[in-house]
Amino acid sequence: MICAGVEDDPFPVDDCLFAETFSQDTVYNLVGQELKIRQVFGANLGVAAPVWEAALHLCCYFEEQSVELRGKRIIELGAGTGVVGILAARLGAVVTLTDLPLALPHLQDNVSANMPSSGWPTTPPIVLPLSWGEDHVNFHTDWDLVLCADIIYLPETYPLLLETLAHLCKNGAMVYLSSKMRKEHGTLGFYEACLPSTFSVELVNRDDKQNINIYRASLRRDQ
C-alpha cells in the first residue's frame, strides 16, 4: 500500500508539541477525490494538527478493497484534520466527525474548504465534540461504519474508547481502525486484549514498512 503523507515518528502526546504556530496546506488525491487539507501546527492542537499516515492508509484501503461508502451513515472518532471523514462525505456518505472541543474549529475549516463545487453529494458533514466515555450517550446508535485512524496511543483512554465504541455499535455498525503499531504506547495490547473483550476483531491489512495495521471489528453478539 502506497500513500503520500507526513512522517509520524515518534508519536507525540504533548499538547504543547509545537512552540510556534504555522500552517501547511497539502493536496491529497484519494479515491478519485482531490482534498486540500490544512495542518495547523501549534495553537495547542498537538496530535490533532497533522495528517497521520494511518489515516491515509485507511483511505487507500477503502479504495483497494472497493469498500462502499456511498449512502453509509458514518461517524469518525478523533477525526483530527478530518481527512478520512471528509473523503467519505465526498464519496456520498452521511458523515459525523468528532473530536475534542479544542480541535473542532480546525476540523470545521477543513470540512468547509473541501465542499465540492457542486455541493456535498448527500448532506454536509457534521462536526461535533465527543469525549470518549462521557459524551457517547448523546449520540445515536444507528451507524453503518465507525472510523478510527491512529487514535490508539494513550492506554488510559482505552477503556473509555471501548465504552464509546460499544455504544455506537449497538445496532450492528462495523468499525475500521487503522493504527501505527507503537510498542511504547501498548497499541498491540489494545487490539489483542482490550478490544476483543467486547468485539470480534480481524486484522485485514498489514503494512510492514510503515508498521501500520488496519482492523475490522464488530460488537460480539454476547454483549
Side-chain angles (χ1 to χ4, degrees):
M1 180 180 294
I2 300 174
C3 294
V6 297
E7 293 297 325
D8 60 344
D9 277 326
F11 199 100
V13 296
D14 185 357
D15 282 344
C16 299
L17 173 64
F18 303 102
E20 298 181 359
T21 299
F22 66 96
S23 64
Q24 174 183 325
D25 291 335
T26 305
V27 174
Y28 298 94
N29 290 289
L30 301 162
V31 199
Q33 300 292 318
E34 184 177 279
L35 304 184
K36 184 178 181 180
I37 301 296
R38 173 161 292 184
Q39 303 169 84
V40 180
F41 301 104
N44 292 327
L45 283 176
V47 297
V51 173
W52 299 105
E53 287 289 346
L56 300 177
H57 272 62
L58 186 57
C59 294
C60 293
Y61 172 83
F62 289 152
E63 180 173 28
E64 292 174 357
Q65 299 299 316
S66 300
V67 176
E68 182 58 62
L69 300 179
R70 179 176 297 276
K72 300 296 185 182
R73 298 160 297 178
I74 293 176
I75 184 168
E76 183 179 3
L77 303 183
T81 61
V83 62
V84 178
I86 291 170
L87 175 65
R90 294 269 303 228
L91 294 173
V94 179
V95 176
T96 297
L97 300 103
T98 70
D99 211 315
L100 296 175
L102 181 66
L104 298 189
H106 174 46
L107 177 55
Q108 183 61 65
D109 286 345
N110 275 332
V111 169
S112 299
N114 284 281
M115 183 179 72
S117 57
S118 57
W120 296 101
T122 53
T123 59
I126 298 172
V127 174
L128 292 174
L130 199 169
S131 297
W132 305 337
E134 299 176 15
D135 302 334
H136 61 268
V137 294
N138 299 323
F139 288 76
H140 67 75
T141 59
D142 293 327
W143 306 101
D144 297 306
L145 297 175
V146 181
L147 306 182
C148 308
D150 229 343
I151 63 173
I152 312 301
Y153 59 93
L154 289 177
E156 60 266 30
T157 68
Y158 295 172
L160 304 176
L161 174 58
L162 187 63
E163 183 181 354
T164 298
L165 288 173
H167 171 80
L168 297 174
C169 296
K170 282 181 179 177
N171 287 328
M174 185 73 67
V175 188
Y176 283 97
L177 307 100
S178 180
S179 288
K180 188 88 164 182
M181 304 305 292
R182 300 177 178 85
K183 291 182 180 179
E184 66 272 24
H185 296 299
T187 306
L188 184 60
F190 174 82
Y191 289 109
E192 290 191 343
C194 186
L195 191 60
S197 69
T198 310
F199 284 78
S200 298
V201 184
E202 177 186 7
L203 175 63
V204 295
N205 185 269
R206 166 72 183 163
D207 187 301
D208 289 322
K209 183 178 180 181
Q210 294 291 334
N211 192 27
I212 292 173
N213 288 357
I214 297 177
Y215 295 86
R216 183 168 56 208
S218 58
L219 193 65
R220 285 177 14 200
R221 293 183 179 181
D222 58 352
Q223 297 299 313

